[in-house]
Amino acid sequence: MKPVALVTGGSRGIGFAISRMLGENGYDLAINGVREASQVEDILQGLRETGANVVYCRGDVGTREGRDAILNALQESYDRVHLLVNNAGVAPKERLNPLQATEESFERLMRINMQGPYFLTQAIARWMVDNKKADSSFQASIINIGSISATVVSTNRGEYCMSKAGFAMHSKLWAVHLAEYGIPVYEVRPGVIRTDMTSKVKEKYDRLIAEGLTVQKRWGLPEDIARAVLSLSSNDFPYSTGEVFMVDGGLTTQRL
Ligand code: NDP
């Protein structure tokens, strides 16, 4: 029987690359997103071509009803889940500095980027722990897709930075709590990655990268993140729970 991975935001961008790489490497998939199932049918079909069984678990991770819907769809198709990838996340609709910021945008980002994955993880971790108690050979892990914004300030999207800083603590909390059950938790922390999320600021980042923003002078690709996730999910780092794995082309390497 193949291991099962739930990837939130798995039908686009970084999450899609993760899903495809996991599918190509022997996982069955549960793909979460907010779009209607009819809008992602071709994407899911593409993932099935990897040989994976693929189910769509539609739901907003930022609401309790959404998380219940995700869990129901998941449990209808699979009797266990071995890997949770908390990848879904959003940027502010409008970039505003802290003097202009709105509570509406702050609450939206905290809900989707921090509160949502925390309580989705709670539900999945309870299930993983039950499975582990019933069968000590059961292998499970959790991988969180954070952001360099957890430590790098962007004054025009402070609520995003704060949500990712909180999300970094979420990874550490779960790593500590789940250690006694042998369930490792890691954070993969991307830099600037070419996806729909960054398409609106493409010219800005093209220029910054050319000027030396990153040590490696190119955009990060979703596949760069997917490789890190595959490696972590393959238990290549068995003594590293709670660690942050940077995939940022050296953006956060301090230079003089
Ligand atoms: P995209 O905007 O390309 O894709 C976001 C995905 O998240 C989509 O699949 C979307 O679903 C899903 N999603 C959005 N809101 C919700 C929600 N409320 N509930 C469930 N799913 C939701 O983003 P990226 O691929 O660029 O980013 C993925 C993650 O990586 C995010 O957490 C982001 O913060 C982080 N990141 C990205 C960086 C970058 O440079 N791109 C850099 C650092 C971190 P649907 O497809 O249905 O619309």
Side-chain angles (χ1 to χ4, degrees):
M1 221 175 56
K2 289 180 168 190
V4 175
L6 167 61
V7 183
T8 68
S11 59
R12 196 197 291 267
I14 292 172
F16 177 73
I18 293 170
S19 302
R20 191 173 50 201
M21 204 163 283
L22 292 173
E24 286 167 352
N25 285 276
Y27 278 84
D28 282 333
L29 300 168
I31 302 297
N32 156 256
V34 284
R35 281 178 286 174
E36 296 278 355
S38 58
Q39 289 180 271
V40 294
E41 201 34 61
D42 289 351
I43 295 165
L44 301 186
Q45 201 45 44
L47 289 172
R48 285 187 188 106
E49 284 162 19
T50 65
N53 184 59
V54 181
V55 296
Y56 188 53
C57 303
R58 182 172 180 235
D60 178 350
V61 294
T63 66
R64 184 182 295 226
E65 305 74 54
R67 291 188 294 274
D68 286 348
I70 296 167
L71 207 64
N72 287 340
L74 179 67
Q75 292 182 329
E76 264 173 32
S77 300
Y78 298 114
D79 60 2
R80 19 168 90 180
V81 64
H82 303 78
L83 171 64
L84 166 63
V85 184
N86 283 308
N87 161 79
V90 289
K93 290 178 182 163
E94 200 181 357
R95 291 184 168 218
L96 296 171
N97 74 41
L99 295 175
Q100 305 162 327
T102 67
E103 294 206 31
E104 190 188 2
S105 179
F106 186 94
E107 284 173 7
R108 172 173 173 264
L109 264 74
M110 292 300 160
R111 237 181 356 87
I112 297 173
N113 294 354
M114 195 172 71
Q115 184 174 351
Y118 183 62
F119 287 102
L120 181 67
T121 300
Q122 183 186 67
I124 298 291
R126 284 174 177 163
W127 200 25
M128 286 175 168
V129 167
D130 285 347
N131 278 314
K132 193 87 185 174
K133 283 179 180 164
D135 170 9
S136 61
S137 69
F138 176 72
Q139 295 280 335
S141 59
I142 296 172
I143 301 177
N144 297 309
I145 309 303
S147 169
I148 52 160
S149 298
T151 61
V152 177
V153 173
S154 296
T155 54
N156 60 2
R157 51 192 176 113
E159 67 273 50
Y160 181 78
C161 299
M162 291 166 78
S163 71
K164 290 295 182 178
F167 189 59
M169 177 51 76
H170 148 101
S171 289
K172 298 216 179 285
L173 276 170
W174 283 113
V176 171
H177 191 69
L178 294 176
E180 84 171 271
Y181 303 100
I183 300 173
V185 180
Y186 309 105
E187 179 184 341
V188 173
R189 192 172 285 182
V192 176
I193 311 296
R194 195 193 291 277
T195 66
D196 290 347
M197 185 182 272
T198 44
S199 60
K200 290 180 206 123
V201 283
K202 180 180 174 304
E203 282 75 31
K204 177 185 168 184
Y205 285 135
D206 279 346
R207 179 173 50 76
L208 290 174
I209 290 168
E211 288 170 1
L213 176 73
T214 48
V215 175
Q216 292 169 278
K217 282 196 174 183
R218 68 163 174 87
W219 281 77
L221 301 175
E223 290 69 27
D224 293 319
I225 311 304
R227 280 167 183 249
V229 169
L230 178 65
S231 182
L232 290 165
S233 70
S234 311
N235 204 23
D236 284 348
F237 296 89
Y239 199 47
S240 301
T241 194
E243 282 305 315
V244 177
F245 289 80
M246 304 303 299
V247 189
D248 69 348
L251 189 153
T252 51
T253 303
Q254 262 191 342
R255 284 157 280 168
L256 191 60

